[in-house]
Amino acid sequence: MLKKYLTVSGYSESEIVIQKSRFITYTKRTETEEEAQAFIQEIKKKHPSANHNCSAYMIGEHDLIQKANDDGEPSGTAGVPMLEVLKKQGLKDTTVVVTRYFGGIKLGGGGLIRAYGKSVTEGLKAAGIVERSLNAIMTSKMDYTWLGKVENEVRASKYPLKEIHYLDEVAVETYVEEDDIEEFTAWMTELTNGQAKIVQGEMVYREEIVTE
């Protein structure tokens, strides 16, 4: 599993008009090629009368699945520039579909490349980019007398607070990146004079917005 990677926050729609042609961009996080293909077909069904429904996607930790489709536009003028935007921004598990309604003015090869690239760039802005980082959920159990101090220190630290469970003892859950687990354990131990029982839980991806 990757320690960190970028992807889109979710589904989005955006639209730009260039030389009277409408370019509608649909963006979605897709974690398998099957999801990507299903999303592309969904958009095609939504716009059966469109001149083109061009698409591109990047799937997998190591970008092993990369596909681009011009859907009738001149070869290399739509899908590839769309894919290049995804690559340039370092996005994974992302599918984009650009629906074009022709406005009567031909854009030429260079114009099409710029139009589809700009459409995806705007679409990604609409979707928002998130960084997903692999974190361990660390649970620190302690007597209630420590809660005030520990909660304040955690909120002021680099370790995001996940949840506090009020049981026989209080259990403070925090997100800790894999490389920081040893450092966190030492920090929490010192903070509580060795009174906290610290347990490492499951590894999960935590999302943080990079752009909106």
Side-chain angles (χ1 to χ4, degrees), residues 63-129:
D63 306 327
L64 294 180
I65 301 173
Q66 303 180 20
K67 295 287 176 66
N69 191 313
D70 295 313
D71 195 42
E73 292 282 30
S75 179
T77 63
V80 170
M82 291 167 62
L83 184 63
E84 285 302 314
V85 175
L86 299 184
K87 288 183 180 180
K88 187 177 179 181
Q89 297 207 20
L91 300 179
K92 299 183 185 298
D93 295 346
T94 301
T95 299
V96 286
V97 182
V98 177
T99 298
R100 182 189 182 194
Y101 285 93
F102 182 54
I105 301 174
K106 291 186 177 182
L107 301 181
L112 286 172
I113 289 169
R114 288 189 293 274
Y116 280 100
K118 183 177 180 182
S119 296
V120 173
T121 298
E122 293 300 316
L124 295 176
K125 285 180 184 176
I129 306 300

Side-chain angles (χ1 to χ4, degrees), residues 182-193:
E182 191 174 317
E183 177 189 284
F184 170 83
T185 302
W187 177 74
M188 182 60 72
T189 300
E190 183 180 349
L191 188 63
T192 59
N193 292 337

